[in-house]
Amino acid sequence: GTVVGKYFYKENTTKTVFHENDIIFLQQGVYTDKKNMEDNIKRIDPKIVVEEQDKYYVYVGITKNQKNADKIKEIYEKKGYDIYEKKIPISNEEFKNNLEQFDLLLDKTTKEEELISINEVILANYEQTLQKS
């Protein structure tokens, strides 16, 4: 047991690239003008808009898994959008637990419509979490 434990501990610590609370947000853009933002994101779906410090951040995906981030990013880039990864610390345990379950689903699918559907649920879940806090 000790040998296996040391192996897994060693594997997990060497592969950790960012903090445990960091979540990968896939950002389409940051806007200072609300009208400009609304015009530019009309055809992007799903998405959420987070307003912070007089700026509008548009996110098209949220995941803890780099492979899933790459899958979602590819969908939007094929449609002509530039997508940026942004790591944001999240302390809400309920959301992080839900995200882990959604990531398992994202990991198992390769169909674009299923990826988008699961991603839409993740974004809605995050929006609900924001409203609670």
Side-chain angles (χ1 to χ4, degrees), residues 20-126:
E20 183 181 308
N21 288 332
D22 285 356
I23 307 294
I24 303 168
F25 280 69
L26 300 172
Q27 180 178 297
Q28 181 273 330
V30 179
Y31 300 86
T32 53
D33 181 64
K34 188 174 185 176
K35 174 81 171 107
N36 185 30
M37 182 259 316
E38 289 170 344
D39 290 343
N40 283 328
I41 66 170
K42 283 181 183 172
R43 288 185 255 135
I44 299 174
D45 199 39
K47 68 195 170 278
I48 59 171
V49 177
V50 177
E51 185 178 355
E52 289 179 358
Q53 301 173 354
D54 297 327
K55 292 183 181 173
Y56 301 93
Y57 295 83
V58 178
Y59 300 112
V60 297
I62 304 172
T63 182
K64 287 183 82 172
N65 179 305
Q66 185 62 52
K67 181 178 162 190
N68 291 340
D70 293 341
K71 286 183 190 180
I72 296 166
K73 196 173 172 180
E74 183 181 349
I75 291 170
Y76 288 95
E77 287 178 342
K78 278 197 281 183
K79 295 178 181 184
Y81 298 104
D82 291 326
I83 304 298
Y84 307 93
E85 290 183 21
K86 183 175 177 182
K87 292 186 174 133
I88 300 175
I90 300 292
S91 58
N92 184 297
E93 290 300 319
E94 179 184 351
F95 177 73
K96 288 192 317 186
N97 291 336
N98 289 341
L99 185 57
E100 285 178 17
Q101 298 305 310
F102 292 129
D103 268 340
L104 293 173
L105 294 173
L106 284 173
D107 193 48
K108 291 181 182 181
T109 188
T110 56
K111 294 182 180 175
E112 186 173 309
E113 57 216 31
E114 289 176 8
L115 288 166
I116 289 173
S117 180
I118 296 165
N119 188 45
E120 186 172 16
V121 174
I122 294 169
L123 292 170
N125 187 266
Y126 181 73

